[in-house]
Amino acid sequence: MIFEWIVQNSPALLLAVPMLGAFAVPLMGRIGEKARDGWVLLVSIATLIIAGILTNEVLTSGTVVYTFGAANPALSVPADSGGIPFRIIFAVDAMSVFMAISASVVGFAVFLYSIVSSARMSGKDSFFALILLMQVGILGMVCTGDLFNFFVFLEINSLAGAALVASRVDKGVAVEAGLKYAVLSTLGGLLVLFAVGLLYGQYDALNIAAIADVMQFGMPEKVALVLFVAALAMKSGAVPMHFWTPDAYSMAPSAVTAFLVIASQASLYGLFRIVFTLYNVTLDYAAMGWIIIILGVLSMFIGVTMAIPQKDIKRLMSYHAVSQTGYMLLGVGVGLAVLGDENMMRAFGMTAMEGGIFHIINHAMYKGLLFLTAGAIFYQAGTRNLNKLGGLGHSMKWTMLFFIIGALAIAGIPPFNGFASKLLIYESVFIFSPVLSVIAMVVSILTLASFVKVFHSVFMGPRLPEYENVTEVPKAMLYAMGILAFFVILFGVFPQQVIDILISPAAMALADQGSYISAVLGGN
Amino acid sequence: MIYNIPYIAAGLIIIIGIVTMTLKRDLIKIVMGLCLVESGVNLFLVATGYIDGGIAPIFTNAGPGRMVLPTVQAMTLTNIVIGIATTAMLLSFVMIIYKKYKTSDVTEVGRLKG
């Protein structure tokens, strides 16, 4: 009975649980430290379970449509509305649950980690409340079927993210990074809102499916598309607008950085959703595909070349995050470039999209893992400077092991998950354009070189006198890293199963605009 | 033409805001530029919702005439609320930076490089 109720209302609960949890954190903080930590973990496990239930529901019985305020959640178009779905509707398809489940898994690891790693910080009540709110923002962005609602969650996500980046004031430097992030995300958010306003003025609707159904590609739509792409590409950290990424990622507490990666990917999801579901073949898909491919290739190459000379371990990893975002853009961009051509789509377009989407979850796992190991190093050694670190391998064996797993995964070495998704991208992109595939491989090699350098300068060498007393990090932090490492290996060893269960439906959901529209508007 | 004036005004305010953000060196003025962009977007949203001769959608004692669907008005209100939160946060960031660095000039603030 109660279980059925949960299943039926899972899209709403997915947001309600972390949101209520977030606002209850300060209350729990009144009772005690233990109570608050337990509460935060409980909320995040509950969110993970609901995400799992929703995933199961979507993968077995198709897109779940949840209408807020309607007598029956499935009733998206009321009889007396004249065919306009004016209520706020969540349209959760395979792509949405894919993002939701990766956000929840990383979220859980992040909470487990930050309960220990933030132990020396003050103001933990608001810290945890903000992380939970950021999770709400991410989950809302990926689940909503309404453009304005998307903007609201984007803002929740940005506000919470900026506050978290600045949370460890660090003589003002972290606040500077937070300010940069907040200004850019707010500007991006306003551009998105302006674009939403343009589309509303044109079609009198805010629902993605309702607009997509009647989309004509005229001048206002072109302006809206440019604004959407510019704003969301900036939020996801693609190259011409990537400059906030290293600052924000490196100055945020490590657990938060692992989550900021997910926040960026939610914007990436938004970009794909807008291009594929809202516009689809009405736009000049070949040109748009090439724009995304070029953004991707630039991100890959500039990201990795900027990463190599970095001295700060988290700054270096942040540039790698930019570079890895390029792979996702490349894979999905190739899919978009051949969207209208059924033969090419079947030959390699679908595989490219699967590769790009698979890379999203893989990146979330291994990048999260790497940032958590960087946090562990900072937690024990007190510095992030690669020139000062050294010889930590003697005392932090587990952290070293997790770092190796993450580093090999990001470089695309089998049997880790990075290899599985990169191979899909290489194969399919090679048929499309061999040059792009070669660039992608070169970038992988440079990534490996860069991480070998980090590994050598942090863990190798003799035991340094200043790190004489360094010990392994507390258990909870190791468990959090272990969870992510487990998924890194699991996805690397059984890539085909993961693709069949999660990735293929997600790629199909993106490419097939018709099924999304009919799921929301009821087949008319 | 006369109906387009609100849109032109909104566009101008947004452009002035973005130019302010890029050209001014004081952090407070950058935040002010952002507020201008926000006001421009709000004005644009409200302008799209205007219907000539439409009446407010209040059913009690409603007069004759077409009722306006108040979606954009609701959107604008939401954006105003979000804007207040954002501006408050940005200004508090500027305050902390000023306290720590003793300056709010971007050319002197930029300590994150590379």
Side-chain angles (χ1 to χ4, degrees):
Chain A
M1 179 58 205
I2 183 100
F3 184 73
E4 263 173 34
W5 183 82
I6 290 175
V7 169
Q8 224 172 26
N9 295 295
S10 49
L13 285 174
L14 186 62
L15 294 186
V17 167
M19 201 184 285
L20 291 177
F23 292 120
V25 167
L27 286 179
M28 290 294 166
R30 287 276 168 134
I31 300 175
E33 295 264 310
K34 281 261 169 3
R36 186 199 49 224
D37 293 352
W39 173 253
V40 170
L41 273 187
L42 189 73
V43 170
S44 108
I45 290 175
T47 315
L48 181 59
I49 291 171
I50 294 169
I53 291 172
L54 186 59
T55 309
N56 182 39
E57 187 70 8
V58 169
L59 293 181
T60 49
S61 56
T63 307
V64 171
V65 176
Y66 191 89
T67 316
F68 283 88
N72 173 6
L75 194 69
S76 53
V77 187
D80 55 350
S81 72
I84 302 170
F86 56 78
R87 287 200 167 97
I88 291 177
I89 293 173
F90 272 19
V92 189
D93 65 3
M95 183 68 197
S96 309
V97 287
F98 163 74
M99 293 299 297
I101 199 86
S102 43
S104 314
V105 170
V106 177
F108 176 64
V110 161
F111 284 115
L112 192 60
Y113 183 94
S114 55
I115 279 172
V116 182
S117 72
S118 66
R120 301 170 193 164
M121 282 171 47
S122 60
K124 276 181 287 181
D125 289 351
S126 29
F127 179 78
F128 285 119
L130 280 169
I131 302 192
L132 278 171
L133 275 183
M134 195 159 137
Q135 190 169 20
V136 173
I138 293 167
L139 293 174
M141 277 168 80
V142 301
C143 287
T144 189
D146 184 284
L147 282 175
F148 185 69
N149 210 226
F150 178 80
F151 160 77
V152 172
F153 284 118
L154 181 70
E155 286 290 320
I156 294 178
N157 183 350
S158 314
L159 273 178
L164 283 169
V165 169
S167 65
R168 206 185 49 205
V169 177
D170 205 6
K171 301 195 191 78
V173 190
V175 181
E176 191 190 328
L179 180 75
K180 205 182 255 187
Y181 181 56
V183 168
L184 286 170
S185 359
T186 313
L187 186 62
L190 288 173
L191 294 184
V192 167
L193 182 62
F194 190 79
V196 172
L198 277 173
L199 290 178
Y200 183 80
Q202 209 64 1
Y203 300 108
D204 285 343
L206 290 172
N207 190 281
I208 294 178
I211 298 177
D213 197 29
V214 290
M215 176 65 86
Q216 309 282 324
F217 199 48
M219 196 59 208
E221 289 82 355
K222 278 181 192 161
V223 177
L225 178 67
V226 170
L227 291 174
F228 274 129
V229 170
L232 291 172
M234 178 177 82
K235 278 285 293 166
S236 58
V239 135
M241 289 91 58
H242 68 289
F243 39 84
W244 61 270
T245 332
D247 294 350
Y249 282 12
S250 62
M251 293 322 295
S254 293
V256 173
T257 315
F259 219 37
L260 277 177
V261 172
I262 301 278
S264 301
Q265 289 177 341
S267 303
L268 201 65
Y269 161 88
L271 178 65
F272 295 159
R273 180 60 85 200
I274 298 284
V275 171
F276 279 96
T277 307
L278 191 61
Y279 286 85
N280 208 281
V281 286
T282 54
L283 53 74
D284 186 354
Y285 47 85
M288 193 62 221
W290 271 103
I291 290 173
I292 291 185
I293 290 170
I294 290 169
L295 281 181
V297 172
L298 281 177
S299 304
M300 276 191 319
F301 200 72
I302 295 178
V304 82
T305 42
M306 291 292 285
I308 289 171
Q310 297 302 323
K311 303 274 187 300
D312 181 325
I313 179 167
K314 278 180 72 184
R315 224 177 155 74
L316 182 140
M317 288 180 181
S318 320
Y319 274 113
H320 280 298
V322 173
S323 156
Q324 299 300 312
T325 308
Y327 281 92
M328 303 160 205
L329 288 169
L330 174 65
V332 179
V334 167
L336 180 63
V338 298
L339 187 62
D341 190 325
E342 217 161 282
N343 286 331
M344 273 162 48
M345 198 66 193
R346 210 174 306 123
F348 61 88
M350 222 49 212
T351 323
M353 280 181 65
E354 279 168 9
I357 292 168
F358 196 11
H359 208 62
I360 292 181
I361 195 168
N362 288 344
H363 182 244
M365 301 297 167
Y366 64 64
K367 199 76 210 188
L369 177 62
L370 282 172
F371 275 122
L372 294 188
T373 54
I377 293 163
F378 181 66
Y379 184 78
Q380 295 296 35
T383 177
R384 298 193 304 261
N385 192 327
L386 287 175
N387 292 344
K388 289 186 187 150
L389 288 164
L392 292 179
H394 297 286
S395 45
M396 300 174 74
K397 293 200 169 56
W398 281 102
T399 309
M400 181 170 75
L401 176 71
F402 291 137
F403 180 87
I404 293 173
I405 293 174
L408 292 179
I410 196 175
I413 307 287
F416 300 106
N417 62 1
F419 171 73
S421 51
K422 282 186 179 178
L423 188 67
L424 286 177
I425 296 175
Y426 297 153
E427 279 179 349
S428 51
V429 173
F430 189 81
I431 308 173
F432 180 71
S433 159
V435 181
L436 296 177
S437 190
V438 170
I439 295 176
M441 284 181 214
V442 171
V443 169
S444 264
I445 294 165
L446 290 174
T447 309
L448 182 63
S450 166
F451 273 96
V452 166
K453 180 189 97 174
V454 175
F455 176 68
H456 189 262
S457 54
V458 173
F459 294 106
M460 292 288 108
R463 203 185 270 269
L464 293 180
E466 58 264 45
Y467 304 125
E468 201 57 44
N469 303 322
V470 166
T471 51
E472 188 54 272
V473 288
K475 285 247 165 47
M477 287 164 86
L478 286 180
Y479 290 146
M481 292 188 261
I483 292 171
L484 293 179
F486 168 74
F487 279 106
V488 167
I489 296 172
L490 182 76
F491 287 3
V493 178
F494 302 107
Q496 195 53 50
Q497 282 80 348
V498 179
I499 289 171
D500 287 344
I501 295 169
L502 263 182
I503 315 297
S504 258
M508 277 307 294
L510 266 191
D512 187 3
Q513 181 198 27
S515 67
Y516 184 91
I517 295 176
S518 64
V520 176
L521 297 183
N524 47 7
Chain B
M1 181 60 204
I2 192 88
Y3 287 109
N4 283 334
I5 286 180
Y7 298 107
I8 296 168
L12 270 180
I13 294 175
I14 291 173
I15 290 168
I16 293 172
I18 291 175
V19 170
T20 314
M21 282 176 74
T22 42
L23 294 187
K24 291 291 175 186
R25 285 168 33 176
D26 193 273
L27 287 174
I28 302 259
K29 286 183 183 159
I30 291 177
V31 176
M32 282 165 76
L34 198 61
C35 289
L36 273 181
V37 178
E38 191 199 311
S39 316
V41 173
N42 284 340
L43 182 60
F44 171 77
L45 287 178
V46 172
T48 53
Y50 178 75
I51 292 174
D52 198 19
I55 58 166
I58 303 164
F59 281 89
T60 323
N61 300 330
R66 292 205 307 167
M67 271 186 189
V68 178
L69 182 66
T71 316
V72 273
Q73 283 82 347
M75 283 161 70
T76 313
L77 278 179
T78 315
N79 191 38
I80 289 171
V81 174
I82 291 174
I84 289 169
T86 320
T87 314
M89 192 182 72
L90 286 172
L91 288 176
S92 62
F93 281 0
V94 174
M95 241 170 67
I96 297 173
I97 288 179
Y98 188 78
K99 267 187 200 153
K100 299 279 176 187
Y101 291 6
K102 305 285 177 234
T103 174
S104 62
D105 187 330
V106 266
T107 47
E108 290 166 44
V109 165
R111 305 212 174 153
L112 289 164
K113 288 203 181 88

